């Protein structure tokens, strides 16, 4: 069919429609209104009851179940989280306690060691001091003895020297002179 | 019963109006009424059947972790529930099954109508008009049941000076009365016009090719592709608009004060 023929046919159809000879425009044809309304009511109400009675409650039930499950899971997660936070706190407390105890033990041990060390040191000091004193006393005595000997030797030497030189000097004079000389020298 | 079914056979009429013709498949007269099972009834059965199958399968699984079909069903549920809640408020959820049914009934009919040889039940004013009238009857009925005469406060907005009221009230009444007409007309006209446009373009392709103007036939042919896509969008959009306006009107019934 050519384009022109198609247009002609459409025009003819429109003409017929305008004259109202043929059937009216289908959407406004009252012949089928009753049938359309009846079957619309049947199918629409059927769909409505199937949806409202069975399908929508089931869907909403599923959605609600899921929401509850998610909420429950979140609650559980929060509870476990709290638990872990508490455990963490307890752990920190225990750690702090242990650390304090360790410090205390360490301090005690150190104090004890220091005390022992001090006691030992003082004992050794005292010992050393005592030994030193003994030694010093001995040295002083030895020195005094030595000094006495020196005096005697000096007196003997001086007496010998005066005798050799032909100077008359009594033993007591020599002793005095030596003592004076020694005293002078310190 | 008339056989063969002309509407089911792969013959194509060149008349763009032909696709809207109703014919009886199963004659049935009750008293003075012709309640025959027609091609319109058949395609309404198909579309509601498809909707029921889809939603039934989606709902029946009820898994904690949804599969695709179940997800789609649950998304539909959430989509309509959110629309009702945000438009008509929590109290509007009483009408959620009704709005849900409306949306899916219209969507099913519109989408099924997009397939070749199918009949678009929503392209008839009897169907869309009846749906619109049902909506308005529910709005008025519930509005009066809920608010008594206070429902008519809908026509007299608060804080308007008296002289303005004389103009405003008739306008409000007329706009209210226009609601079922516009609601039904909008869906009907959209579906009718869309299908006529598709048909005309398709026929134009054949006519131009038949007239030896194959090169020119490409123009309507290419144009047909986006317009088909557009008609699918319109099919969804009109169902959505119908459901949304139903919610808006229901809000008026629940809270008549402006």
């Amino acid at each position: 069919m050519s384009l022109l023929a198609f247009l002609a046919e459409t025009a003819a159809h429109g003409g017929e429609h305008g004259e109202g000879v043929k059937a009216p425009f289908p959407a406004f044809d009252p012949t089928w209104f009753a049938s359309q309304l009846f079957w619309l009511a049947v199918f629409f109400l059927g769909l409505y009851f199937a949806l409202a009675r069975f399908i929508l409650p089931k869907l909403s039930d599923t959605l609600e179940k899921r929401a509850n499950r998610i909420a429950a899971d979140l609650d559980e997660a929060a509870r476990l989280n709290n638990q872990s936070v508490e455990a963490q706190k307890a752990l920190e407390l225990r750690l702090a306690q242990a650390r304090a105890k360790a410090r205390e033990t360490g301090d005690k041990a150190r104090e004890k060691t220091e005390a022992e060390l001090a006691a030992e040191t003082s004992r050794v000091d005292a010992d050393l001091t005592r030994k030193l004193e003994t030694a010093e006393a001995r040295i002083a005595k030895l020195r005094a003895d030595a000094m006495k000997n020196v005096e005697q030797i000096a007196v003997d030497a001086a007496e010998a020297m005066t005798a050799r030189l032909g100077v008359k000097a009594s033993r007591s004079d020599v002793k005095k002179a030596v003592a004076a000389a020694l005293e002078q020298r310190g | 019963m008339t056989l063969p079914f002309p509407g089911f056979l792969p013959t194509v009429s060149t008349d763009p109006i032909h696709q809207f013709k109703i014919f009886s498949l199963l004659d049935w007269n009750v008293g003075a009424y012709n309640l025959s099972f027609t091609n319109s009834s058949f395609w309404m059965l198909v579309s509601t059947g498809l909707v029921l199958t889809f939603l039934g399968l989606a709902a029946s699984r009820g898994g904690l972790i949804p599969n695709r079909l179940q997800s789609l069903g649950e998304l539909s549920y959430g989509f309509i529930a959110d629309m009702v809640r945000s438009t008509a408020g929590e109290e509007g959820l009483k009408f959620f099954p009704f709005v849900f049914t409306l949306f899916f009934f219209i969507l099913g009919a519109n989408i099924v109508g997009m397939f070749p040889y199918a009949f678009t039940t929503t392209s008839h004013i009897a169907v869309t008009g009846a749906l619109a009238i049902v909506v308005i009857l529910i709005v008025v009925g519930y509005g009066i049941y809920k608010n008594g005469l206070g429902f008519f406060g809908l026509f007299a907005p608060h804080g308007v000076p008296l002289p303005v009221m004389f103009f405003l009230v008739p306008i409000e009444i007329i706009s209210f009365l226009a609601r079922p007409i516009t609601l039904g007309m909008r869906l009907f006209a959209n579906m009718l016009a869309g299908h006529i446009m598709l048909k005309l373009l398709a026929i134009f392709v054949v006519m131009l090719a038949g007239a030896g103007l194959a090169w020119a036939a490409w123009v309507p042919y290419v144009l047909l592709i986006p317009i088909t896509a557009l008609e699918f969008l319109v099919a969804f959009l009109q169902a959505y608009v119908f459901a949304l306006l139903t919610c808006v009107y229901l809000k008026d019934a629940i809270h008549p004060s402006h």
Side-chain angles (χ1 to χ4, degrees), chain B residues 23 46 50 57 81 98 104 118 123 131 133 137-138 149 156 223 238:
Chain B
F23 49 88
V46 170
L50 284 175
L57 285 176
F98 175 65
F104 271 95
S123 66
L131 289 175
I133 287 167
L137 285 180
I138 287 177
L149 290 176
L223 207 59
Q238 285 307 316

Side-chain angles (χ1 to χ4, degrees), chain B residues 7 14 17 49 71 80 87 97 102 116 130 147 164 184 190-192 199 202 211 244 258:
Chain B
T14 52
I17 301 303
S71 255
I80 303 293
T87 317
L102 260 184
N147 305 291
V164 182
N190 265 286
M191 298 323 290
L192 186 82
K199 185 79 173 193
L244 185 69
H258 265 274

